[in-house]
């Protein structure tokens, strides 16, 4: 008797990977800037970032963000720490690899685990509370 596997559902999508998004980033940058991964305008940064799977419809990051307008994107870039002002009026440098790392950090990074010492201190503190005596 042979057991056939269930056909894979098309509703499942794969989890975005940093390496695939980094490859997209590297391929979309001009050859002269691909080593530094920087772009000189928000419009260019938005065009590149909007291709990242981590910012796609099925990403864990999508429910946490609202990226509808250009202002939403600019605020997100600035919050990521990937933006630095360049010399000249209205010119910015956006470090796209730094931005990509930030996206993956907020999408998938786990919060730090509580320290065992802190948990033990809390237990000792709770145990040391005076328990009222029962009187009948």
């Amino acid at each position: 008797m042979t057991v056939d596997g269930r056909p894979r559902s098309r509703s499942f999508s794969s989890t975005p990977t940093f390496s695939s998004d980094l490859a997209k980033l590297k391929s979309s940058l001009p050859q002269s800037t691909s080593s530094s991964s920087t772009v000189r305008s928000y419009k260019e940064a938005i065009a590149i970032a909007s291709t990242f799977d981590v910012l796609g419809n099925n990403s864990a990051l999508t429910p946490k963000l609202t990226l509808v307008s250009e202002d939403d994107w600019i605020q997100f870039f600035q919050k990521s720490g990937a933006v630095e002002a360049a010399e000249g009026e209205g010119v910015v440098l956006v470090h796209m690899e730094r931005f990509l790392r930030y996206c993956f950090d907020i999408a998938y990074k786990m919060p730090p685990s509580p320290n065992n010492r802190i948990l033990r201190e809390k237990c000792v503190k709770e145990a040391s509370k005076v328990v009222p005596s029962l009187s009948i």
Side-chain angles (χ1 to χ4, degrees):
M1 174 169 111
T2 61
V3 177
D4 293 329
R6 278 183 37 199
R8 187 171 185 136
S9 170
R10 293 184 186 262
S11 65
F12 294 114
S13 63
S14 62
T15 303
T17 62
F18 180 79
S19 59
S20 66
D21 279 347
L22 184 61
K24 286 180 184 182
L25 169 62
K26 297 288 185 181
S27 68
S28 63
L29 290 171
Q31 204 61 11
S32 62
T33 62
S34 64
S35 63
S36 65
S37 299
T38 57
V39 294
R40 296 187 171 271
S41 73
Y42 285 119
K43 286 191 184 285
E44 191 176 1
I46 293 168
I48 293 170
S50 62
T51 66
F52 295 161
D53 291 336
V54 73
L55 295 172
N57 292 335
N58 297 321
S59 169
L61 187 56
T62 304
K64 300 176 186 179
L65 294 174
T66 303
L67 297 173
V68 178
S69 69
E70 186 173 334
D71 288 337
D72 295 338
W73 279 97
I74 291 171
Q75 282 183 323
F76 188 45
F77 281 119
Q78 290 172 342
K79 186 178 178 185
S80 73
V83 177
E84 93 182 44
E87 295 178 23
E89 193 73 22
V91 177
V92 295
L93 288 177
V94 182
H95 298 272
M96 294 303 294
E97 188 170 341
R98 188 181 304 162
F99 175 71
L100 180 60
R101 288 182 189 282
Y102 175 78
C103 291
F104 272 88
D105 277 352
I106 62 174
Y108 299 109
K109 199 170 196 177
M110 295 295 291
S113 298
N115 189 326
N116 283 338
R117 184 178 54 91
I118 294 171
L119 289 174
R120 279 193 306 267
E121 287 173 1
K122 184 178 178 182
C123 289
V124 168
K125 188 184 240 184
E126 291 293 321
S128 68
K129 288 183 179 178
V130 177
V131 179
S133 61
L134 297 174
S135 51
I136 300 178

